[in-house]
Amino acid sequence: MYAERIESLRAMMRSRGWDAVVLTGSDPHASEYPAPRWKQVEWLTGFTGEAGDVVVTLDHAGLWTDTRYFIAAVRQLAGTGVELHKMRVPEQVPIPQWLAGRFEDDDPVIAVDSLCLDCSTAAALDEAFGDAPHAIVGVPDLLDSLWKDRPAVPQTPVSVLDDGAAGISREAKILWIRQFLENKGCDGILLSALDEIAWMLNVRASDIDYNPYVISYLLVTQDRVCWFVLKEPMDDPTTDGTFDLLSSEGIELLPYSDTAVFLSQEFEGRLFLDPASMNLNLREAINDAGLEVLEERSPVVLRKAIKTPAEIDGMTRAHVEDGLAMEQFLYWLETSLGRGCRITERDAALKLGSLRASIDGYRGDSFETISAYGPGAALPHYVTPSSDAPVLERHGLYLCDSGGHYLFGTTDITRTVPLGPCTPLEREDYTLVLKGHIDLAKAVFPRGTAGCQLDVLARGPLWLSKRNFGHGTGHGVGFWLGVHEGPQDIRQNFNPQPLLPGMITSDEPGIYREGQHGVRHENLLLCTEAGVNDFGDWLCFRTLTLCHFDTSALEIRLLDESERRWLNDYNRWVYDTLAGRLPAEVAAWLRKKTAAV
Amino acid sequence: MYAERIESLRAMMRSRGWDAVVLTGSDPHASEYPAPRWKQVEWLTGFTGEAGDVVVTLDHAGLWTDTRYFIAAVRQLAGTGVELHKMRVPEQVPIPQWLAGRFEDDDPVIAVDSLCLDCSTAAALDEAFGDAPHAIVGVPDLLDSLWKDRPAVPQTPVSVLDDGAAGISREAKILWIRQFLENKGCDGILLSALDEIAWMLNVRASDIDYNPYVISYLLVTQDRVCWFVLKEPMDDPTTDGTFDLLSSEGIELLPYSDTAVFLSQEFEGRLFLDPASMNLNLREAINDAGLEVLEERSPVVLRKAIKTPAEIDGMTRAHVEDGLAMEQFLYWLETSLGRGCRITERDAALKLGSLRASIDGYRGDSFETISAYGPGAALPHYVTPSSDAPVLERHGLYLCDSGGHYLFGTTDITRTVPLGPCTPLEREDYTLVLKGHIDLAKAVFPRGTAGCQLDVLARGPLWLSKRNFGHGTGHGVGFWLGVHEGPQDIRQNFNPQPLLPGMITSDEPGIYREGQHGVRHENLLLCTEAGVNDFGDWLCFRTLTLCHFDTSALEIRLLDESERRWLNDYNRWVYDTLAGRLPAEVAAWLRKKTAAV
């Protein structure tokens, strides 16, 4: 099927004179996860990983993805003729460089889906050719004529997030951004990133799985706020109420498809935009309209990452509720297996989902649950099969990475738990990863420190015994927004963004042994102030996540005194916080699980 | 005196129509330490720190220096009217930005000593003004007419480093750089950094204190090697022999002052040069000659940092010899004070210097010894007074940071030792710094890791109790060249250069408490391979420095098991390596000092 689709694309390429087609795994808003309409890479190649771009030439088809998806890609691409190009490896050749090398001096015509290619990536593509002749042709919805049953742009009910929960009203956010525009000498800002728009307007929907966004653009000028959104009648009282409320506040609701035309006809002056989330198609339209533009990182990125006191309160509450579900899940898992029940990875994921769904304020999972036993857990981004999922056995390690969205916040937690006896290697890996997790969690650091300067705290204990993991240590987490957000992170790559009080970042080192087992321990950490002295202005982390770490799989000798103390303090805090709201038998079980070591 | 000199400069400025004069603390080769001829900042302001630039306007005189020299600068600038501008602090305003702000819209004329300003810095100065009108006037030897007894360009005996000691012959180095030029499409390279020239030609002199360089330029083309050097008759057999040998190998010796003229008249094609070490004066001459230029980092920088096996053998030997001197010094210090001798900081520095000087192959100190007791040690770059130096007392901490050049390598070591009872705070600081030192020294890390990714290993233990230090953790060290060299380092700043096998870097965390005490523990570490496994290609450090760490000032409870083991292993290794060559009473003393804790 996929080989045929690629051939039909090649037929189109021949008829139009294209030498290469580039399709990204993103959408018109540079979203991390696209709605089905924009899953072009999956439609063309069958690859379902969350990060993958495709290049098709007349004699080659390639998928570019990173370490997380190598194993899955090999399996999913088998028989399609699509070759895997590895990224985040030392010998990586990114798409721009690969194309420039492939078509050196050939003056190629490269077609891109200009709706799903952001300006930064488009610029990189162009730059790779240097002075070599080449043409890049932007074609919106390039696959439309081949993809007969292509899904429509999604449209789901739009609700309002209470100002109190957000901590800043729409009105205050608009005032703030107008002040920003004045400082920058701009007359308007066009927000294109969906999480930034949801944050600005305090609105939520579910147009994208796991991401509570509304497909839209937002223009803010000194005297207008124009929201370009799908406005077709929905017969949905929530949406109607939201739209009425926003209209009553003077926010203009305009059709999503009119964005470019509106800008060219009604906007005057200098427009601020962020090339990282602006697609090439709209950017070219803005260019054609002759508008003066300032391209920089959107100010919403940083402001959104620094949570308000109300958001921090909500996130704290979310972690209590989520922790209650997690503990009941782990209790169910251990006792059911103990009774001899047959449980598949899928059963476990469903059980956890149902526990979360019963929480008041639950608004869906924050990403697809990874429920993985043994070798499955060795794939950091394993997808549990929907049928014939592996059965959990009463030995070795089970890994579950999951999270929930709630009206009051978002969670993301990974626990790896022993289902019975573990091998010495499983126990060592389990302990070393926990050691790395703890060393990062208990860090104290001067204001100005960036995540990449702390990353080795989590990796160092693994490195000492020559173990490592191929993904980042930590990502920013939104408030009922994306479970992955910037600008901060904790990883090896140089990202100069300092960690600031109010930022929430994950701490999730791991060890993965192909065909054997995987370990990952993940909590969310809130960056917070730790006092000022002669040596500087100090910050530290406060752990938000509430769920005990199992001590039975530990090699205690590998923890030093301060790590052991951290672990005991953490487990006691989990028990003290949750026990009163757990069923008696779960609380009693948790007391045993959290006994000091 | 200094105020008068500044006024005489202002008189010159008025007569020439200059609004500002910029003088750097460097020389025509962007050397870290200039020869006396180029100590313009010291002549003008009295400031003797190793890093300081000056700006004089008609109504302001300012010195820009970093954290290391704040305290010294305040003292030395008192009464001169020169204001201190702090660098390496969050609120820093570098000279280019300061000037651009000061003369906004004034169309200023800024005069610079173009011999002592490198192209990179000149470009930064120009860029800071953006589109604002301004003129930068390059004046070689700008201070000449005011500085009546200005020293001449230094000229000291030039000797040859044996090819065997270097591990690569001149011939092989020249072949290598010719291959590099071919790959880069260049016809010649003009080396301007003095350590690079000394490395390329395997020559040494002592034109600059502590730096065994020859003031010169070196041009290598595919068929010529031209060394522009002071050639006046020296009546020095070493120099004569060196020049004869190089001439016999076909290396052309040409007058230093003819560099620019030669390039314009005899060089054809594309010239490679490194703007970081090329002065503005020569760069403008090259420009005026109409030569095509490729400006990038010199390839010698990286190649020189990766020591050859012969250099590693030499450095290893240097650390044995140096360690024997250090242990005899520490023995002398402890026993002399024990006998009630009066010892000043200066006496101690002289004693250590004389012990090093007796080593066969000694070629001078690698930098000015820091010999500091109590409050003096709280200044990371303390200069021991030449008269009335403080007397060492039988309590608290004494810090000595020193190093030697030998025919076979270079050392750089800091030991902080208790001279008697220490306060709890002194003991804690002493131990935490050692903890940081050890955690970095025992690191294992994947190939590709940069120093800034490891820096927190040394700082983390200090940060946990909210202590820190304001200098880098580690610098590269040359082989009988500069004791500070790039491209690698270990510090907070983002430097993408990975640590590579063969690189030698210092490990020197510290804690400084103004008016009280200072602690620094420094060894040199050789980066070396540690094996390959499924998780990657691993590197680690091998400590080169041989001198015990005193255990009597330790708070043992602050070390974890692996740190305690490292310390005991290290001290035993020091004893085992050195004892056989120490006088019996020193060996017996060292056995006690290195007893396991």
Side-chain angles (χ1 to χ4, degrees):
Chain A
M1 177 170 74
Y2 299 112
E4 285 163 31
R5 289 177 180 175
I6 291 166
E7 277 314 310
S8 67
L9 176 60
R10 287 197 174 118
M12 181 201 254
M13 290 166 64
R14 282 189 203 96
S15 73
R16 307 218 185 160
W18 298 339
D19 297 293
V21 163
V22 178
L23 296 170
T24 69
S26 192
D27 71 3
H29 304 272
S31 300
E32 185 179 6
Y33 308 117
R37 176 178 178 77
W38 291 296
K39 290 189 172 169
Q40 309 188 97
V41 169
E42 182 177 341
W43 181 83
L44 191 67
T45 70
F47 175 74
T48 60
E50 289 162 1
D53 300 324
V54 159
V55 174
V56 176
T57 68
L58 294 175
D59 58 5
H60 183 88
L63 173 87
W64 273 251
T65 190
D66 64 53
T67 39
R68 294 175 292 172
Y69 300 106
F70 291 167
I71 298 169
V74 167
R75 202 178 55 233
Q76 295 181 330
L77 298 178
T80 63
V82 179
E83 273 181 40
L84 171 61
H85 294 249
K86 295 184 175 183
M87 294 295 287
R88 291 201 203 159
V89 293
E91 65 278 16
Q92 69 175 30
V93 183
I95 287 177
Q97 284 67 37
W98 185 87
L99 280 170
R102 186 84 169 191
F103 292 105
E104 210 183 351
D105 304 325
D106 286 351
D107 194 2
V109 177
I110 295 163
V112 299
D113 183 326
S114 54
L115 271 174
C116 295
L117 188 75
D118 66 80
C119 297
S120 301
T121 308
L125 191 55
D126 197 43
E127 276 164 27
F129 281 91
D131 296 333
H134 67 285
I136 295 170
V137 182
V139 183
D141 289 327
L142 186 149
L143 289 183
D144 257 11
S145 62
L146 307 176
W147 189 352
K148 299 303 180 193
D149 53 350
R150 184 174 187 180
V153 176
Q155 190 178 19
T156 56
V158 182
S159 62
V160 167
L161 178 71
D162 184 62
D163 284 351
I168 322 179
S169 65
R170 263 183 303 287
E171 195 184 357
K173 289 177 178 178
I174 290 164
L175 281 175
W176 163 74
I177 212 158
R178 283 179 171 153
Q179 184 61 56
F180 169 84
L181 290 172
E182 201 173 309
N183 296 344
K184 283 283 178 183
C186 287
D187 302 288
I189 181 169
L190 182 66
L191 294 182
S192 42
L194 301 180
D195 60 340
E196 296 180 30
I197 296 168
W199 179 89
M200 271 300 296
L201 295 180
N202 289 344
V203 293
R204 300 292 189 271
S206 49
D207 286 358
I208 298 180
D209 283 354
Y210 310 114
N211 286 172
Y213 308 151
V214 188
I215 305 281
S216 58
Y217 295 98
L218 182 68
L219 175 71
V220 182
T221 70
Q222 291 301 346
D223 50 13
R224 297 178 79 169
V225 179
C226 303
W227 192 23
F228 302 93
V229 63
L230 293 174
K231 287 188 65 189
E232 291 73 29
M234 285 187 63
D235 271 339
D236 173 65
T238 307
T239 304
D240 293 344
T242 302
F243 285 3
D244 287 349
L245 175 65
L246 268 57
S247 295
S248 75
E249 294 176 9
I251 295 172
E252 300 171 58
L253 277 81
L254 300 161
Y256 179 63
S257 53
D258 287 0
T259 315
V261 172
F262 181 94
L263 285 168
S264 70
Q265 294 181 353
E266 309 237 354
F267 180 78
E268 280 182 10
R270 191 158 179 245
L271 184 65
F272 185 102
L273 57 84
D274 184 340
S277 59
M278 175 64 55
N279 69 63
L280 184 62
N281 192 58
L282 185 53
R283 183 68 189 83
E284 286 181 342
I286 290 167
N287 219 32
D288 292 346
L291 294 178
E292 189 192 349
V293 159
L294 176 62
E295 294 183 288
E296 285 182 15
R297 189 176 80 178
S298 162
V300 178
V301 175
L302 180 59
R303 180 75 190 256
K304 174 167 61 65
I306 298 171
K307 306 301 183 265
T308 63
E311 287 175 325
I312 292 170
D313 286 350
M315 290 293 268
T316 303
R317 181 177 156 206
H319 282 86
V320 172
E321 300 300 328
D322 202 78
L324 291 166
M326 278 298 299
E327 293 294 5
Q328 290 179 83
F329 168 65
L330 293 175
Y331 170 80
W332 165 85
L333 187 67
E334 183 172 314
T335 52
S336 302
L337 286 171
R339 284 199 310 272
C341 297
R342 181 181 183 279
I343 300 175
T344 67
E345 292 174 346
R346 183 102 192 136
D347 298 332
L350 291 172
K351 175 67 182 178
L352 177 56
S354 72
L355 284 163
R356 279 211 173 90
S358 69
I359 295 171
D360 202 28
Y362 173 77
R363 285 294 178 274
D365 287 353
S366 58
F367 57 99
E368 188 172 352
T369 295
I370 296 172
S371 171
Y373 175 70
L379 306 178
H381 289 250
Y382 178 71
V383 177
T384 310
S386 49
S387 60
D388 294 325
V391 175
L392 310 191
E393 297 172 33
R394 292 187 62 190
H395 64 89
L397 297 169
Y398 166 74
L399 182 155
C400 184
D401 187 353
S402 67
H405 283 305
Y406 305 93
L407 278 175
F408 36 85
T410 293
T411 66
D412 182 357
I413 174 173
T414 307
R415 284 297 177 272
T416 304
V417 291
L419 300 186
C422 291
T423 66
L425 192 61
E426 285 169 335
R427 297 175 65 94
E428 262 187 35
D429 287 346
Y430 182 96
T431 308
L432 289 174
V433 173
L434 190 59
K435 200 175 162 76
H437 174 91
I438 293 171
D439 288 2
L440 177 58
K442 68 188 179 67
V444 178
F445 47 93
R447 193 180 282 267
T449 303
C452 61
Q453 294 170 318
L454 295 181
D455 185 70
V456 72
L457 293 177
R459 288 181 199 269
L462 280 60
W463 287 1
L464 280 176
S465 56
K466 299 181 193 167
R467 302 172 208 199
N468 203 358
F469 54 98
H471 56 74
T473 300
H475 56 83
V477 176
F479 175 86
W480 188 20
L481 286 170
V483 76
H484 298 152
E485 69 168 23
Q488 87 280 13
D489 54 25
I490 300 174
R491 56 191 313 141
Q492 289 277 289
N493 308 45
F494 301 114
N495 171 354
Q497 175 62 53
L499 298 173
L500 295 170
M503 286 180 169
I504 294 173
T505 313
S506 71
D507 171 6
E508 48 179 314
I511 292 180
Y512 309 94
R513 295 185 188 267
E514 198 179 331
Q516 300 182 57
H517 64 264
V519 177
R520 183 161 67 252
H521 298 305
E522 177 188 23
N523 281 347
L524 298 191
L525 309 179
L526 170 70
C527 180
T528 182
E529 290 178 345
V532 176
N533 66 10
D534 284 350
F535 292 99
D537 181 358
W538 297 93
L539 305 178
C540 66
F541 295 119
R542 173 160 78 77
T543 296
L544 293 173
T545 306
L546 278 154
C547 180
H548 77 281
F549 286 108
D550 193 293
T551 55
S552 71
L554 279 178
E555 289 289 348
I556 289 286
R557 69 187 160 83
L558 296 178
L559 296 186
D560 70 27
E561 182 52 29
S562 69
E563 290 157 351
R564 204 176 54 79
R565 203 179 320 125
W566 185 97
L567 177 61
N568 287 333
D569 289 349
Y570 177 75
N571 275 349
R572 192 175 54 242
W573 173 63
V574 169
Y575 177 81
D576 290 347
T577 310
L578 300 182
R581 289 186 53 202
L582 286 170
E585 69 279 12
V586 183
W589 168 86
L590 184 59
R591 175 184 287 276
K592 278 186 225 152
K593 300 301 279 186
T594 56
V597 290
Chain B
M1 176 168 74
Y2 300 112
E4 285 165 31
R5 289 176 180 175
I6 291 165
E7 277 314 311
S8 67
L9 176 60
R10 286 196 175 119
M12 181 200 257
M13 290 166 64
R14 280 187 205 96
S15 73
R16 308 221 184 156
W18 298 341
D19 297 293
V21 163
V22 178
L23 297 170
T24 69
S26 191
D27 70 4
H29 304 272
S31 300
E32 184 179 6
Y33 308 118
R37 175 176 179 79
W38 292 295
K39 290 190 173 169
Q40 307 188 96
V41 170
E42 182 176 342
W43 181 83
L44 191 68
T45 70
F47 175 72
T48 60
E50 289 161 3
D53 299 323
V54 158
V55 174
V56 176
T57 69
L58 294 175
D59 58 4
H60 183 87
L63 173 88
W64 273 252
T65 190
D66 64 54
T67 39
R68 294 175 292 173
Y69 301 106
F70 290 167
I71 298 170
V74 167
R75 200 178 57 234
Q76 294 181 332
L77 298 178
T80 63
V82 179
E83 273 183 38
L84 170 61
H85 293 249
K86 295 183 176 184
M87 294 295 285
R88 290 201 204 160
V89 295
E91 66 276 17
Q92 69 175 29
V93 183
I95 287 176
Q97 284 67 35
W98 186 87
L99 281 170
R102 186 85 170 191
F103 292 105
E104 210 181 352
D105 304 324
D106 286 351
D107 193 2
V109 177
I110 295 164
V112 299
D113 183 326
S114 54
L115 270 174
C116 295
L117 188 75
D118 66 80
C119 296
S120 301
T121 308
L125 190 56
D126 197 42
E127 277 163 27
F129 280 90
D131 297 333
H134 67 285
I136 295 172
V137 182
V139 184
D141 289 327
L142 187 150
L143 288 183
D144 256 13
S145 62
L146 307 176
W147 189 351
K148 300 301 180 196
D149 52 351
R150 185 174 186 178
V153 176
Q155 190 178 19
T156 55
V158 181
S159 62
V160 167
L161 177 70
D162 184 61
D163 284 350
I168 322 179
S169 65
R170 260 184 304 287
E171 195 184 358
K173 288 176 179 179
I174 290 165
L175 281 176
W176 163 74
I177 212 157
R178 283 179 172 153
Q179 184 61 55
F180 169 84
L181 289 172
E182 202 172 308
N183 297 343
K184 283 283 178 184
C186 287
D187 302 287
I189 182 170
L190 183 67
L191 294 181
S192 42
L194 301 181
D195 59 342
E196 296 180 30
I197 296 169
W199 179 89
M200 271 300 296
L201 295 180
N202 289 342
V203 294
R204 301 292 189 269
S206 48
D207 286 358
I208 298 180
D209 283 353
Y210 310 114
N211 285 173
Y213 307 151
V214 188
I215 304 281
S216 58
Y217 295 98
L218 182 68
L219 175 71
V220 182
T221 70
Q222 291 301 347
D223 50 13
R224 296 177 80 170
V225 180
C226 304
W227 193 21
F228 301 93
V229 62
L230 293 174
K231 288 187 64 187
E232 291 74 28
M234 287 187 62
D235 268 339
D236 172 65
T238 307
T239 304
D240 293 344
T242 301
F243 285 4
D244 287 349
L245 174 67
L246 268 58
S247 296
S248 75
E249 293 175 10
I251 296 172
E252 299 171 59
L253 277 82
L254 301 161
Y256 179 64
S257 53
D258 287 0
T259 315
V261 172
F262 181 93
L263 285 168
S264 70
Q265 294 182 352
E266 309 237 354
F267 180 77
E268 280 182 11
R270 192 158 177 244
L271 185 65
F272 185 103
L273 56 84
D274 184 341
S277 59
M278 176 63 55
N279 69 62
L280 184 62
N281 193 58
L282 185 53
R283 182 69 188 81
E284 287 181 341
I286 290 167
N287 218 31
D288 293 345
L291 294 178
E292 189 192 349
V293 159
L294 176 62
E295 294 183 289
E296 286 181 15
R297 188 176 82 179
S298 162
V300 177
V301 175
L302 180 59
R303 178 77 189 253
K304 172 167 62 66
I306 298 172
K307 306 301 184 262
T308 63
E311 286 174 326
I312 292 171
D313 286 350
M315 290 293 268
T316 303
R317 180 177 157 206
H319 282 86
V320 173
E321 300 300 328
D322 203 77
L324 291 165
M326 279 297 300
E327 292 295 4
Q328 290 179 83
F329 167 66
L330 294 175
Y331 170 80
W332 166 84
L333 187 68
E334 184 172 312
T335 52
S336 302
L337 287 171
R339 286 199 310 272
C341 297
R342 182 182 181 281
I343 300 176
T344 66
E345 293 175 344
R346 182 104 193 136
D347 298 332
L350 291 173
K351 173 68 181 180
L352 176 57
S354 72
L355 284 163
R356 279 211 174 90
S358 69
I359 294 171
D360 202 27
Y362 172 77
R363 285 293 177 278
D365 287 353
S366 59
F367 57 98
E368 188 172 352
T369 294
I370 297 173
S371 172
Y373 175 69
L379 307 178
H381 289 249
Y382 178 71
V383 177
T384 308
S386 49
S387 59
D388 294 325
V391 175
L392 309 193
E393 296 172 34
R394 292 188 60 191
H395 64 88
L397 297 170
Y398 166 72
L399 182 156
C400 183
D401 188 352
S402 67
H405 283 305
Y406 305 93
L407 278 176
F408 37 84
T410 292
T411 66
D412 182 358
I413 174 173
T414 308
R415 284 298 177 271
T416 304
V417 291
L419 300 186
C422 291
T423 65
L425 192 62
E426 286 169 334
R427 297 176 64 93
E428 263 187 37
D429 287 346
Y430 181 95
T431 309
L432 289 175
V433 173
L434 190 59
K435 199 174 163 76
H437 174 90
I438 293 172
D439 288 2
L440 177 58
K442 68 187 178 66
V444 178
F445 48 93
R447 193 180 283 266
T449 303
C452 61
Q453 294 169 318
L454 295 181
D455 185 68
V456 73
L457 293 177
R459 289 180 199 270
L462 280 61
W463 286 0
L464 280 176
S465 56
K466 298 181 193 168
R467 303 172 206 198
N468 203 359
F469 52 98
H471 56 73
T473 300
H475 56 82
V477 176
F479 174 87
W480 188 19
L481 287 171
V483 77
H484 298 152
E485 71 169 21
Q488 87 281 12
D489 54 25
I490 299 174
R491 55 191 314 142
Q492 288 279 287
N493 307 45
F494 300 113
N495 171 355
Q497 175 62 53
L499 298 172
L500 295 170
M503 286 180 168
I504 293 172
T505 313
S506 70
D507 171 6
E508 47 180 314
I511 293 180
Y512 309 96
R513 295 184 186 269
E514 197 178 332
Q516 299 183 57
H517 64 264
V519 176
R520 185 162 66 252
H521 298 304
E522 177 188 23
N523 281 347
L524 298 192
L525 309 179
L526 170 70
C527 180
T528 182
E529 290 178 346
V532 176
N533 66 10
D534 284 350
F535 291 99
D537 180 359
W538 297 93
L539 304 177
C540 65
F541 294 120
R542 173 160 79 78
T543 296
L544 293 174
T545 306
L546 278 154
C547 180
H548 77 281
F549 285 109
D550 193 294
T551 56
S552 71
L554 279 179
E555 289 289 348
I556 288 287
R557 68 187 162 82
L558 296 177
L559 296 186
D560 70 26
E561 182 50 31
S562 69
E563 291 156 352
R564 204 177 52 80
R565 203 177 323 125
W566 185 97
L567 177 61
N568 287 333
D569 289 349
Y570 177 76
N571 275 350
R572 192 176 55 241
W573 173 63
V574 169
Y575 177 81
D576 290 347
T577 309
L578 300 182
R581 288 185 53 200
L582 286 169
E585 70 278 14
V586 182
W589 168 86
L590 184 59
R591 175 184 285 276
K592 279 187 224 154
K593 300 302 278 187
T594 56
V597 291

